[in-house]
Amino acid sequence: MKNETTSPNVHIIDEAFYMPQLDRYRRIWLYLPAGYDSSEATYPVIYMHDGQNLFEEWSAFSEEWSIDETLDEQHGQCIVVGIDNGGGKRLTEYNIYDHPEYGKGEGRSYLDFIVQTLKPYIDHHFRTKEEREFTWIGGSSMGGLVSLYGAFYYAGSFGGAAIFSPSLQLNEQIVEEVHHAFAGSRPAQRIYFYAGRQESEEMVAKTKEMVRHLKTCTYCDVKLVISKHGEHSEENWREAFKGFYKWMNA
């Protein structure tokens, strides 16, 4: 087993939190800011996918993101909820469309779980800023893809999104789809994109195209960071998260 690396303010809410929309169970992690127990403050919340990789080495696929260390160093004033991926179900839960290789898309049910079940639980049990403008969704790769879907199909719940190295290639129509989804009147949103040039030219190009479309929406505050040496890895997303969190609080 790898060494334990979590901060004291990281907790596991439940090893088997029930997901009624999918009839499955999932481990849920929670980061509380330093001083939470000694204050009466309320905090914004970031809901993040691939929870195994966020805080702890022993549970991570490769390396951890060190979200807790990053927020501790930056005196972070937010709550982070980490949702473990479903292993063999990860590629279907993080895609809203059926895929010939991966199977039936379950992304809408997964996002419904976050919005209808998990968020109300977190808001009830912890001191959160419940309003949409203080509620974020974020993840990398397939987790970046489902975070983008969350932003434009659940804008009433998420005021912002952190989208790292999104798997946009799985949906050839996604730029057009987002263009139509963001047409007309919508709530204001802040969206942060990250991509690394060492991942793939296709991913970088698609991410840039997505950002160009979103920047035409007057109610979208969009930030794009392209890392010259960035690769598709937890190590790179760890560094990208630092930049995102600074931007989130700018």
Side-chain angles (χ1 to χ4, degrees):
M1 179 178 290
K2 300 178 183 178
N3 294 329
E4 293 190 5
T5 59
T6 50
S7 297
N9 41 344
V10 172
H11 312 275
I12 294 177
I13 294 177
D14 197 330
E15 289 281 357
F17 193 98
Y18 184 54
M19 309 169 77
Q21 293 80 1
L22 292 162
D23 194 23
R24 294 171 194 150
Y25 297 85
R26 202 60 47 81
R27 181 170 53 196
I28 306 294
W29 304 73
L30 182 77
Y31 171 89
L32 295 175
Y36 178 90
D37 291 334
S38 59
S39 78
E40 296 182 358
T42 57
Y43 301 91
V45 183
I46 311 172
Y47 291 88
M48 298 190 69
H49 321 293
D50 292 314
Q52 297 99 320
N53 299 334
L54 301 180
F55 307 108
E56 185 59 89
E57 283 191 7
W58 62 259
S59 61
F61 169 73
S62 176
E63 297 183 29
E64 60 161 309
W65 285 40
S66 301
I67 296 292
D68 45 339
E69 288 88 348
T70 293
L71 292 176
D72 287 348
E73 290 171 2
Q74 297 193 24
H75 306 289
Q77 295 298 295
C78 71
I79 294 171
V80 178
V81 179
I83 309 157
D84 272 16
N85 68 56
K89 295 292 186 181
R90 180 178 185 271
L91 296 178
T92 57
E93 288 183 0
Y94 292 177
N95 193 358
I96 68 172
Y97 296 108
D98 299 346
H99 190 277
E101 180 180 353
Y102 305 138
K104 183 175 179 59
E106 300 176 309
R108 286 190 182 273
S109 295
Y110 172 72
L111 290 166
D112 283 344
F113 159 68
I114 297 175
V115 170
Q116 298 173 8
T117 302
L118 184 57
K119 183 181 186 302
Y121 177 91
I122 297 297
D123 289 340
H124 178 73
H125 288 88
F126 302 95
R127 296 195 312 275
T128 67
K129 294 182 184 294
E130 300 183 20
E131 298 85 358
R132 61 170 299 281
E133 58 264 36
F134 301 109
T135 306
W136 293 72
I137 186 169
S140 64
S141 193
M142 288 295 295
L145 178 66
V146 78
S147 296
L148 181 58
Y149 288 139
F152 65 77
Y153 284 127
Y154 295 79
S157 297
F158 300 112
I163 300 170
F164 306 101
S165 308
S167 299
L168 303 178
Q169 74 279 2
L170 291 186
N171 181 356
E172 294 183 359
Q173 306 301 318
I174 193 166
V175 173
E176 181 180 350
E177 183 178 354
V178 169
H179 180 72
H180 288 298
F182 276 78
S185 178
R186 287 172 58 92
Q189 285 182 307
R190 303 184 70 207
I191 305 179
Y192 185 98
F193 286 89
Y194 165 88
R197 291 199 178 278
Q198 304 307 310
E199 300 184 70
S200 77
E201 285 301 322
E202 179 187 23
M203 192 272 291
V204 171
K206 286 183 175 293
T207 302
K208 285 184 173 180
E209 185 182 9
M210 178 68 68
V211 169
R212 282 196 299 271
H213 278 276
L214 291 177
K215 283 189 172 181
T216 65
C217 303
T218 57
Y219 41 81
C220 278
D221 177 10
V222 185
K223 173 73 172 179
L224 172 62
V225 173
I226 302 292
S227 171
K228 180 178 179 180
H229 301 291
E231 299 177 341
H232 203 78
S233 70
E234 280 74 20
E235 179 182 2
N236 285 270
W237 298 324
R238 180 191 309 148
E239 292 303 312
F241 181 84
K242 295 178 182 179
F244 155 71
Y245 187 71
K246 290 179 181 178
W247 176 82
M248 172 184 168
N249 290 281

